[in-house]
């Protein structure tokens, strides 16, 4: 009888231990579901990094991300096709009226890109690009030769490129010249990678890219075949020492954070929901991005936001 009681007690302890272990396992993995994002090429690399890190903590959550331009991201989220739209421009009042709720999550910039074998390269790097010159290229298209841009006698024609998709990069680039994306001239190319490749393949080409597509992530140098054309911020006709910070991705990130690069074309990046998110997995993902996830911004080539902006997002999330 004594042996039977002892065996029963041991079995009960084993069952209790297994039961507790099972409950603990369920608790660790209780957050589950699917989250979908689409939109800005500018935010895509960082969104992928956030998703990878979040899924290490919550393996039961599946996150699908696709890039297709800020316009697609906004359209998709307002149509409830995705949970979050990646948007690399300001959210417009009509979009807010339709339910768009924007969470500022990072900052980066759009930069002018030229081919590294441009025939007027020496003059261009010395003179830089003013806002007025950019307007005479993309808006009025008065500048047709590289000599006009560089202040030399070079008659090589300028091959101008812009984006074909509705995107934050083109909208931000146009905003620097007080215009809209549809006002930009040039051969239209789809997507950030496509525009970078067009300039890489064309010695006479000029375009614009988000930082992540202008610079190589591993070397931190401009991507092979292209250079970032310095912006003459004060418009004095030359690139001064304090305006020269384009040789590495890390230096331009520091310059953007310090406010040395004009804004626009520097700008905040947003994740946009249709209404205040309520799904536990989605709320947890956004909360992660606005807190612990910010540690991945700088290593991934982006700029972190102020505590004030991040707290505003957290406050919106808790409403």
């Amino acid at each position: 009888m004594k042996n039977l009681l002892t065996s029963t007690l041991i079995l009960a302890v084993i069952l209790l231990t297994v039961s507790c272990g099972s409950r603990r396992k369920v608790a660790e993995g209780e957050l589950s579901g699917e989250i979908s994002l689409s939109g800005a090429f500018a935010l895509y690399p960082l969104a992928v990094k956030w998703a990878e890190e979040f899924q290490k903590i919550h393996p039961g959550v599946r996150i699908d991300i696709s890039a297709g331009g800020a316009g697609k991201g906004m359209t998709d989220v307002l149509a409830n096709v995705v949970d979050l739209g990646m948007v690399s421009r300001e959210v417009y009042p009509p979009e807010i009226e339709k339910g768009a709720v924007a969470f500022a999550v990072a900052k980066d910039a759009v930069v002018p890109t030229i081919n590294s074998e441009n025939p007027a390269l020496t003059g261009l790097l010395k003179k830089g690009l003013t806002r007025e010159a950019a307007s005479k290229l993309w808006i009025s298209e008065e500048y047709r030769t590289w000599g006009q841009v560089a202040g030399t006698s070079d008659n090589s024609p300028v091959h101008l490129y812009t984006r074909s998709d509705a995107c934050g990069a083109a909208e931000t680039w146009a905003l620097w010249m007080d215009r809209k994306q549809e006002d930009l001239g040039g051969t239209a190319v789809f997507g950030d990678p496509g525009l970078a490749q067009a300039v890489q393949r064309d010695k006479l080409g000029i375009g614009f890219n988000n930082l992540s597509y202008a610079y190589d992530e591993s070397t931190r140098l401009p991507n092979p075949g292209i250079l970032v054309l310095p912006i003459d911020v004060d418009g004095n006709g030359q690139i001064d020492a304090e305006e020269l910070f384009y040789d590495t991705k890390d230096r331009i990130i520091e310059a953007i954070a310090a406010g040395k690069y004009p804004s626009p074309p520097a700008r905040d990046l947003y994740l946009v929901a249709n209404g205040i998110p309520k799904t536990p997995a989605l709320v947890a993902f956004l909360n992660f991005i606005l807190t612990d996830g910010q540690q991945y911004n700088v290593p991934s080539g982006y700029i972190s936001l102020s505590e004030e902006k991040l707290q505003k997002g957290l406050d919106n999330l808790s409403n």
Side-chain angles (χ1 to χ4, degrees), residues 26-41:
V26 169
E28 288 172 353
E30 65 183 353
L31 195 59
S32 62
E34 296 183 3
I35 300 172
S36 56
L37 296 81
S38 75
F41 284 91

Side-chain angles (χ1 to χ4, degrees), residues 138-139 141 174 178-185:
W138 274 279
I139 304 301
E141 299 188 53
D178 291 329
R179 295 299 183 100
K180 295 184 176 180
Q181 178 178 353
E182 51 266 35
D183 298 322
L184 297 176

Side-chain angles (χ1 to χ4, degrees), residues 27-92:
E28 288 172 353
E30 65 183 353
L31 195 59
S32 62
E34 296 183 3
I35 300 172
S36 56
L37 296 81
S38 75
F41 284 91
L43 196 50
Y44 176 80
L46 184 54
V48 170
K49 179 63 178 176
W50 284 328
E52 290 173 348
E53 297 300 326
F54 182 78
Q55 287 174 307
K56 290 178 183 176
I57 306 169
H58 302 288
V61 178
R62 176 181 171 181
I63 303 176
D64 294 321
I65 306 173
S66 62
K72 176 173 172 50
M74 183 60 78
T75 299
D76 284 352
V77 73
L78 291 181
N80 292 318
V81 175
V82 297
D83 297 300
L84 295 171
M86 300 183 289
V87 178
S88 53
R89 58 164 171 76
E90 295 300 315
V91 177
Y92 304 136

Side-chain angles (χ1 to χ4, degrees), residues 83-133:
D83 297 300
L84 295 171
M86 300 183 289
V87 178
S88 53
R89 58 164 171 76
E90 295 300 315
V91 177
Y92 304 136
E95 295 166 340
I96 295 173
E97 291 174 5
K98 293 178 181 176
V101 178
F103 298 86
V105 291
K107 185 174 184 176
D108 80 340
V110 180
V111 292
T113 50
I114 58 174
N115 189 283
S116 60
E117 296 184 27
N118 186 292
L121 189 59
T122 301
L124 288 171
L125 295 180
K126 182 178 179 181
K127 189 178 176 66
L129 182 70
T130 62
R131 183 169 171 269
E132 179 184 8

Side-chain angles (χ1 to χ4, degrees), residues 1-317:
M1 186 65 177
K2 182 178 180 181
N3 289 338
L4 178 60
L5 288 173
T6 300
S7 299
T8 302
L9 180 61
I10 291 173
L11 180 60
V13 169
I14 291 174
L15 290 174
L16 181 61
T17 301
V18 171
S19 176
C20 288
S22 178
R23 282 202 300 271
R24 191 161 52 244
K25 188 173 182 179
V26 169
E28 288 172 353
E30 65 183 353
L31 195 59
S32 62
E34 296 183 3
I35 300 172
S36 56
L37 296 81
S38 75
F41 284 91
L43 196 50
Y44 176 80
L46 184 54
V48 170
K49 179 63 178 176
W50 284 328
E52 290 173 348
E53 297 300 326
F54 182 78
Q55 287 174 307
K56 290 178 183 176
I57 306 169
H58 302 288
V61 178
R62 176 181 171 181
I63 303 176
D64 294 321
I65 306 173
S66 62
K72 176 173 172 50
M74 183 60 78
T75 299
D76 284 352
V77 73
L78 291 181
N80 292 318
V81 175
V82 297
D83 297 300
L84 295 171
M86 300 183 289
V87 178
S88 53
R89 58 164 171 76
E90 295 300 315
V91 177
Y92 304 136
E95 295 166 340
I96 295 173
E97 291 174 5
K98 293 178 181 176
V101 178
F103 298 86
V105 291
K107 185 174 184 176
D108 80 340
V110 180
V111 292
T113 50
I114 58 174
N115 189 283
S116 60
E117 296 184 27
N118 186 292
L121 189 59
T122 301
L124 288 171
L125 295 180
K126 182 178 179 181
K127 189 178 176 66
L129 182 70
T130 62
R131 183 169 171 269
E132 179 184 8
S135 183
K136 288 182 178 179
L137 282 166
W138 274 279
I139 304 301
S140 66
E141 299 188 53
E142 293 174 57
Y143 280 178
R144 299 295 181 91
T145 72
W146 279 109
Q148 289 174 301
V149 184
T152 68
S153 58
D154 194 311
N155 287 322
S156 303
V158 173
H159 293 173
L160 192 67
Y161 292 98
T162 186
R163 289 277 292 273
S164 62
D165 49 316
C167 65
E171 193 68 32
T172 302
W173 189 243
L175 188 60
W176 181 44
M177 295 169 265
D178 291 329
R179 295 299 183 100
K180 295 184 176 180
Q181 178 178 353
E182 51 266 35
D183 298 322
L184 297 176
T187 301
V189 180
F190 178 80
D192 232 330
L195 189 46
Q197 290 171 7
V199 175
Q200 282 176 313
R201 295 168 179 167
D202 187 349
K203 292 181 181 180
L204 302 178
I206 183 170
F208 51 83
N209 284 103
N210 295 301
L211 287 183
S212 294
Y213 298 88
Y215 291 87
D216 183 279
E217 191 54 40
S218 56
T219 66
R220 315 299 280 178
L221 300 172
N223 277 316
I226 65 174
L227 290 176
V228 177
L229 182 58
I231 286 184
D232 179 11
V233 179
D234 61 13
N236 68 351
Q238 64 181 19
I239 296 299
D240 302 311
E242 59 269 23
E243 296 172 323
L244 192 58
F245 39 71
Y246 299 85
D247 53 343
T248 70
K249 189 173 186 178
D250 295 316
R251 286 198 66 202
I252 191 171
I253 286 173
E254 289 177 7
I256 295 167
K260 295 180 179 179
Y261 191 78
S263 180
R267 83 308 203 190
D268 289 349
L269 304 174
Y270 298 91
L271 288 176
V272 177
N274 190 348
I276 300 297
K278 301 298 181 187
T279 307
L282 184 56
V283 171
F285 184 48
L286 279 169
N287 188 74
F288 168 80
I289 291 170
L290 294 168
T291 54
D292 294 344
Q294 288 294 301
Q295 66 182 293
Y296 303 107
N297 286 25
V298 174
S300 300
Y302 297 77
I303 297 109
S304 295
L305 297 176
S306 66
E307 289 296 327
E308 182 181 2
K309 286 187 178 180
L310 295 171
Q311 187 58 51
K312 183 179 179 181
L314 291 170
D315 290 343
N316 282 341
L317 198 56

